[in-house]
């Protein structure tokens, strides 16, 4: 009997310790599940303050402003003939310094506003693009001005992660390293849309997928190599809502609750295409368009998020 009493006490102590451990694991698991994103519990604890994303109303082009608790980031700069709109939107947002500029690909409706930044007195920390050459005069012109102003340029490829400060990060999903290598070869025939920088913004449990003008070919490649890394609460509609993008398989993997479309009113391309709108409607995603809603603003604390249009 003297032996049994200490043994019983030891077993009771071990049971209590095991129960305490299980309780902690369940709490963590519930938190991650409720957030709707993988490893969200660890990310939520590391974020601070508020992050805003503004899809700027710049006509038929892309310009998306991200303001983290520590940095200001601009993804694309709209078209040449929309520079006044970009200037107006940046002024309205109170932007003076831009820590990072990410140019998804060298088409005019994505890099056409770089002169606004170079000639407008904005202090630019770093410029990122897809790391491939281009014969576009706008592209070569931006390289010359960046060099003249001492602004460094860096190419991005799948697997790269940019620290945007305050716990926010940008995970690059495309282009792949092999494509970048091919694209640097002399005489290579480029397909700029499908060479777009595609990346996922993560801030706590908030996620948003940025797509440039990537089309179905690139979507398939991303799903093949990064299927588990595309699920996002918000999708920036690829290629201004064109039917060349937003494949069913891609949308099924991303599972967006909200889709944002940047396009100009009455544009010559018919963007967004009815097929794309129908696809977004089928997955019950809320849709916002700059031509109808003006500048679209997302605000998040890393746990919840809110989306509003100007109109």
């Amino acid at each position: 009997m003297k032996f049994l009493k200490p043994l019983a006490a030891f077993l009771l102590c071990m049971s209590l310790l095991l129960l305490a451990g299980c309780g902690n694991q369940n709490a963590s698991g519930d938190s991650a599940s409720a957030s709707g994103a993988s490893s969200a519990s660890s990310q939520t604890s590391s974020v601070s303050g508020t992050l805003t994303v503004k899809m700027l109303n710049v006509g038929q082009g892309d310009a998306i402003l991200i303001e983290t608790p520590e940095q200001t980031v601009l993804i694309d700069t709209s078209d040449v003939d929309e520079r006044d709109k970009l200037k107006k939107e940046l002024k309205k947002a109170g932007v003076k310094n831009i820590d990072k500029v990410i140019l998804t690909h060298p088409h005019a409706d994505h890099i056409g506003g770089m002169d606004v930044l170079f000639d407008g007195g904005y202090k630019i920390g770093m410029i990122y693009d897809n790391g491939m050459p281009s014969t576009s005069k706008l592209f070569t012109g931006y390289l010359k001005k960046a060099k003249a102003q001492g602004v460094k340029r860096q190419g991005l490829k799948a697997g790269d992660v940019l620290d945007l400060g305050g716990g926010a990060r940008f995970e690059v999903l495309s282009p792949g390293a092999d494509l970048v290598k091919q694209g640097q070869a002399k005489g290579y025939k480029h397909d700029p849309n499908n060479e777009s920088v595609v990346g996922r913004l993560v801030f706590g449990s908030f996620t948003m997928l940025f797509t440039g003008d990537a089309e179905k070919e690139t979507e398939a490649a991303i799903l093949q190599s990064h299927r588990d890394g595309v699920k996002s609460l918000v999708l920036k509609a690829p290629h201004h809502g064109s039917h060349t993008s937003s494949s069913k398989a891609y949308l099924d993997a991303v599972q967006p609750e909200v889709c944002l479309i940047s396009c100009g009113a009455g544009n010559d391309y018919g963007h967004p295409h009815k097929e794309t709108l129908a696809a977004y409607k089928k997955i019950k995603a809320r849709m916002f368009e700059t031509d109808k809603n003006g500048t679209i603003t997302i605000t998040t604390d890393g746990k919840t998020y809110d989306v509003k249009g100007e109109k």
Side-chain angles (χ1 to χ4, degrees), residues 19-308:
L19 286 171
C22 290
N24 287 337
Q25 288 175 357
N26 286 338
S28 175
D30 289 345
S31 175
S33 176
S35 72
S38 60
S39 69
S41 57
S42 62
Q43 291 301 322
T44 302
S45 63
S46 64
V47 305
S48 61
T50 301
L51 178 145
T52 61
V53 178
K54 293 179 182 289
M55 177 174 272
L56 304 179
N57 183 18
V58 290
Q60 186 62 22
D62 273 10
I64 305 172
L65 182 68
I66 302 171
E67 295 178 291
T68 79
E70 297 175 8
Q71 295 184 26
T72 297
V73 181
L74 185 64
I75 300 183
D76 288 330
T77 62
S78 78
D79 210 335
V80 175
D81 58 358
E82 306 289 6
R83 288 174 178 172
D84 288 343
K85 290 181 181 178
L86 176 64
K87 192 183 302 183
K88 178 182 176 182
E89 290 293 332
L90 292 177
K91 183 177 181 180
K92 189 164 59 175
V95 175
K96 294 181 179 178
N97 301 326
I98 303 175
D99 297 282
K100 292 179 174 68
V101 177
I102 301 173
L103 301 174
T104 60
H105 63 295
H107 277 160
D109 58 334
H110 291 258
I111 68 170
M114 283 303 293
D115 279 356
V116 171
L117 307 186
F118 289 130
D119 302 337
Y122 294 92
K123 183 179 178 182
I124 304 171
M126 188 83 175
I127 299 174
Y128 299 87
D129 57 32
N130 65 11
M132 299 182 219
S134 172
T135 57
S136 160
K137 289 184 179 180
L138 284 172
F139 182 82
T140 55
Y142 118 67
L143 290 182
K144 289 178 181 177
K145 286 199 172 185
K147 185 176 181 180
Q149 294 189 15
V151 181
K152 293 183 179 180
R153 170 219 178 193
Q154 180 179 321
L156 294 174
K157 64 182 183 303
D160 290 342
V161 178
L162 298 182
D163 181 359
L164 306 186
R169 66 183 189 274
F170 185 79
E171 303 171 344
V172 182
L173 305 177
S174 190
D178 289 344
L179 178 58
V180 172
K181 186 176 181 180
Q182 291 173 13
Q184 291 171 341
K186 189 175 181 179
Y188 180 79
K189 187 176 181 180
H190 288 274
D191 180 3
N193 285 346
N194 283 313
E195 295 167 358
S196 290
V197 172
V198 177
R200 185 171 177 257
L201 172 66
V202 181
F203 183 70
S205 61
F206 174 79
T207 47
M208 180 171 175
L209 189 63
F210 292 81
T211 58
D213 279 356
E215 299 179 339
K216 293 177 181 179
E217 177 185 329
T218 295
E219 292 175 353
I222 290 173
L223 291 183
Q224 190 172 9
S225 54
H226 301 285
R227 178 174 288 276
D228 295 335
V230 298
K231 185 178 179 182
S232 301
L233 294 169
V234 181
L235 171 68
K236 179 267 171 191
H239 203 177
H240 317 285
S242 171
H243 58 65
T244 59
S245 309
S246 298
S247 66
K248 182 182 184 302
Y250 200 58
L251 294 181
D252 287 345
V254 179
Q255 299 180 38
E257 297 178 352
V258 176
C259 295
L260 307 186
I261 305 170
S262 183
C263 59
N267 65 83
D268 295 337
Y269 308 97
H271 294 156
H273 291 150
K274 60 183 180 180
E275 299 94 329
T276 304
L277 295 177
Y280 293 164
K281 186 176 181 180
K282 189 172 183 179
I283 62 173
K284 299 180 180 179
R286 295 168 62 200
M287 289 177 274
F288 293 83
E289 301 174 35
T290 54
D291 60 332
K292 296 177 180 177
N293 303 112
T295 290
I296 305 157
T297 301
I298 300 173
T299 307
T300 178
D301 60 1
K303 299 175 183 178
T304 62
Y305 71 101
D306 181 65
V307 187
K308 290 182 179 178

